[in-house]
Amino acid sequence: MRLSDIAIGVSMAMLALLLSYLIVYGGLGPIATLNLRPLAVSFLNYTYNPWKIVYSAMSPEAVTAIVWDFRGLDTYFETSVLFIAIVGLIALFRGANVVQGVSSKGLSIIVKTSTKLVAPLILVAGASLAFHGHLSPGGGFQGGSFMTVAMTLLAIAFSIEFFQQKKLTLNRLLAIRCIGLLAIVVVSVYLLVKAVLLGGYAYIFQNMPRINSQYSMPSWFLDRPLAGILFFFNLSESIAVIGGLTLGVVLLLLREEELKAIIGGGEHE
Amino acid sequence: MIDMVLASAGLTLIAIGVFCDFVAAIGLIRLPNFFTRLHAATVGAIGGAVVPMLGAALLAIGYEPLGETRFILAGVAFTTSIVTMILSQAGSHALARAAYRARAAPLQPITYDALAEKRGDSSE
């Protein structure tokens, strides 16, 4: 017993020493050379290239350009998978509803006060992560998940009846989710509809003008790159994710009194 | 001169943080029950995370070669320390309250239980 404690302590100290040695001396690796690999060159050429807009996504953030421009359809199917999972959860909890005044009035006043202070900060940080997804690391899904953390904090500290009092019912959350998904669909076919109405060619998930299509989403907002479709996708994806994930959290937090009517069990007793 | 002062103040705060972390580590092992160990963990969170982050902010402001970046670093460190200070006490309070009300942790080495008296509960 005594010996094992000493062994654990010594090994933890060795681990800390090893990690600090790695970080200080070369664990971060040598500085990269100026010679880029061909893959990096192609990404740099195709993500933000104001001189050849027909080959470019006009987004300074390469990952967002890949996720929503180069493989936009794939990302849409990923979003749909999450939506189908939420739909399964709703089908499982069909007819459930948050009942007022069951048991809890939330956690104590200390937790409520600090949640009041911190939840708006988390919401703002998540929103900036989502709306700046085309300029800095982040994106719609990440920002939406970030904001869901604030909603979960609110749901736990103030109890889920708080959402009901603020008119944020389960149906409204589902509606928010559907509005987000619908906005993604509308944005992805917007240029195609425009081309059908005005003549000419366009593609679904088209962002900047292409070789045989002059239609384009706006690429600049005042003096900042907007990256057209990427900004709108990030916006609607974050709305969809905050609606869907908050709905899932609220459903999983339902109390026994609310679930008795749905899960049943009455006929076996 | 001023950067020297800032650097020594920052290093002092980080040294206080190391001391608090050390005390917290010992307390987590040696203290007798859940609530006192939670106290040790909070010493680690406030003294061992908030104070050294403030020290890191001072250190970053005082380090000239970083240029403009040092204000960003200092701001991020300052904000993180404030948010940690708000949240860690709330978290440990919620843990202690839940453990007390659910009777999940033994109260045993106890001298005075004000909550039991307040609720008219004399089981402990």
Side-chain angles (χ1 to χ4, degrees), chain A residues 53-114:
Chain A
I53 290 182
V54 285
Y55 294 124
S56 157
M58 288 299 283
S59 160
E61 228 281 299
V63 176
T64 311
I66 293 168
V67 164
W68 277 120
D69 190 323
F70 300 173
R71 37 154 277 190
L73 206 57
D74 200 5
T75 309
Y76 184 72
F77 279 115
E78 280 176 10
T79 305
S80 312
V81 166
L82 182 71
F83 181 62
I84 290 166
I86 298 282
V87 166
L89 199 61
I90 292 165
L92 210 58
F93 285 91
R94 67 196 176 282
N97 223 334
V98 181
V99 183
Q100 290 292 315
V102 170
S103 58
S104 77
K105 292 187 276 295
L107 297 184
S108 67
I109 188 156
I110 298 176
V111 181
K112 277 185 181 172
T113 311
S114 38

Side-chain angles (χ1 to χ4, degrees), chain A residues 76-203:
Chain A
Y76 184 72
F77 279 115
E78 280 176 10
T79 305
S80 312
V81 166
L82 182 71
F83 181 62
I84 290 166
I86 298 282
V87 166
L89 199 61
I90 292 165
L92 210 58
F93 285 91
R94 67 196 176 282
N97 223 334
V98 181
V99 183
Q100 290 292 315
V102 170
S103 58
S104 77
K105 292 187 276 295
L107 297 184
S108 67
I109 188 156
I110 298 176
V111 181
K112 277 185 181 172
T113 311
S114 38
T115 308
K116 262 184 217 163
L117 284 173
V118 170
L121 288 180
I122 301 176
L123 279 177
V124 168
S128 83
L129 206 65
F131 304 160
H132 270 209
H134 57 290
L135 298 175
S136 55
F141 193 86
Q142 292 86 337
S145 323
F146 212 110
M147 289 192 270
T148 309
V149 172
M151 302 300 274
T152 311
L153 264 182
L154 287 177
I156 289 174
F158 288 86
S159 91
I160 52 178
E161 295 168 19
F162 175 74
F163 283 162
Q164 198 87 357
Q165 286 154 16
K166 296 290 173 195
K167 308 286 179 221
L168 210 61
T169 58
L170 297 180
N171 282 335
R172 290 231 172 119
L173 286 170
L174 187 62
I176 291 172
R177 167 87 208 185
C178 292
I179 287 171
L181 274 185
L182 210 62
I184 294 179
V185 174
V186 168
V187 170
S188 59
V189 299
Y190 168 69
L191 285 181
L192 191 63
V193 171
K194 202 173 163 186
V196 166
L197 292 179
L198 300 178
Y201 295 98
Y203 308 94

